[in-house]
Amino acid sequence: MNNYPQGEGLNPVFPNNVKPYLLGLTGHRPKKLGNVYDLNDPRWQNFMQDLNQVLEQRIQEYGYVECHSGMALGADMAWALVIQSARERYPGQVKFVADIPNPDQPAKWTSPETVALFYDLVDNADERVTYAPTYTKECLNDRNIGMIDHSDEVIALWDGTASGTGHAVAYAESLNKFIKVLHPEQYGFEVKRDPRTPVVDNTQNYNHPNGNNFGNNYGQSGGYSRGNNGYNGGGNNYNRGYNGNNGGNNGYNGNNSGSNYSRGNHGYTGNN
């Protein structure tokens, strides 16, 4: 395990004798997903519904869940919103850790509303972990490694390519983490692929790291060898319970259009 930066603990959240379940996420950014940046888009709404379903299940199973978000555009920000909503529905049972590669992470983001959302989420995190004082070539990867090191399970919005997300998945598998893959195409994202980048695996048949042996094969002949456990793919296996269709009192109200966010009682609602 790599040295984990000292986090800025803002809220202890759990009793001292509690060992929470640790849940992290890795995923593609909007640039690879058809440039869909608006989290109000139905594709992101459906993804967030599935994330909420996973988190709800883990809360029921383990009681206390510590959730890590890398706070990048796209999947990370969607996950942070899901965490925040669940934390308010389950006070004292969900901890939100913002794993930030450097304090200036959103410096090049073009949407003022998204930048404001980033800082609002970070300000409301229970703990902030920063990996470098300024941007470096290593800080993004260091963030991924630190976050995965401190996860029992990693959710991956991953198309199966040998990408940055693919490397994160491979690293998680090398540590025998439980990995849950959600394929972007099941939500309707048009995945932008470099034709020179091999498709590493068909993630529709992938779910559990203990049934897969691909960590050591990553980058070798462009493939993974698969075990017996497969991914029960797609949103059809989930109950759409994440408040995507109605008002914002209990989470992210994805049906309201617009690029701005206003704080609701238990999450975020998009401005009309």
Side-chain angles (χ1 to χ4, degrees), residues 83-96:
I83 297 167
Q84 182 165 265
S85 177
R87 183 181 62 176
E88 297 192 15
R89 296 195 309 276
Y90 297 95
Q93 292 182 260
V94 177
K95 181 178 180 178
F96 173 22

Side-chain angles (χ1 to χ4, degrees), residues 21-27 54 144 147-157 165 168-169 171-173 177-182 206-207 209:
Y21 187 72
L22 309 178
L23 188 58
L25 177 140
T26 184
V54 173
N144 289 344
M147 185 168 54
I148 292 169
D149 282 346
H150 285 76
S151 295
D152 297 312
E153 177 181 353
V154 177
I155 305 168
L157 182 66
T165 298
V169 171
Y171 180 69
E173 197 279 337
K177 305 292 185 179
F178 187 94
I179 304 166
K180 187 171 190 65
V181 173
L182 303 174
Y206 175 73
N207 190 25

Side-chain angles (χ1 to χ4, degrees), residues 45 49 241-256 268-269:
Q45 292 176 34
Q49 289 168 8
Y242 185 59
N243 227 19
N245 295 321
N246 49 37
N249 284 341
N250 291 308
Y252 183 77
N253 180 8
N255 280 345
N256 289 333
Y268 278 85
T269 62

